[in-house]
Amino acid sequence: FWSRGLQHSSLLVRATTVNALVAVLASLGGDGGGRVPTVEEQQSLRWALPDMQTLLTARSKLQAASASRLLSLMHGRLLHALALYHTLMPAVFAEGRLQARALVPGLP
């Protein structure tokens, strides 16, 4: 579901998918929940949510696209989703040797 939505040819479908993903991640406690999920919970989240590489690919395609207001908003929402991933599943960044601060400006 998530991967198809993020890779869809329709910009509206991609925007809706990104917004839904941010809402789900925020509801799981990514926005100030204060508690990092256990390893078991993180594994469950990884199974239910899109792969980090899918988000990174979607972000790079948006950066390569022409600048429009909707694309700019989607880019911001994808950055927000990546920040929520970092909060909820820090192991994903560690496993992929991803530099969170380089990917998402404003991370601590």
Side-chain angles (χ1 to χ4, degrees):
F1 166 77
W2 294 110
S3 295
R4 283 187 179 188
L6 291 169
Q7 297 170 355
H8 201 275
S9 60
S10 168
L11 189 59
L12 183 58
V13 171
R14 288 186 303 199
T16 302
T17 303
V18 169
N19 283 330
L21 178 61
V22 169
V24 167
L25 291 169
S27 73
L28 291 171
D31 271 349
R35 182 179 80 78
V36 175
T38 66
V39 173
E40 293 81 16
E41 291 170 335
Q42 288 184 40
Q43 289 173 346
S44 295
L45 288 173
R46 288 177 71 173
W47 180 82
L49 296 171
D51 184 58
M52 175 67 75
Q53 190 59 45
T54 304
L55 290 175
L56 296 174
T57 301
R59 179 179 174 257
S60 67
K61 286 182 180 178
L62 283 178
Q63 284 181 318
S66 62
S68 76
R69 179 131 172 88
L70 182 57
L71 291 175
S72 176
L73 289 171
M74 282 182 57
H75 186 256
R77 295 299 278 175
L78 275 170
L79 289 177
H80 190 192
L82 287 168
L84 292 171
Y85 261 70
H86 184 260
T87 301
L88 290 169
M89 297 177 290
V92 171
F93 282 83
E95 288 172 8
R97 296 188 178 130
L98 301 172
Q99 298 296 320
R101 287 184 188 92
L103 292 172
V104 185
L107 279 181

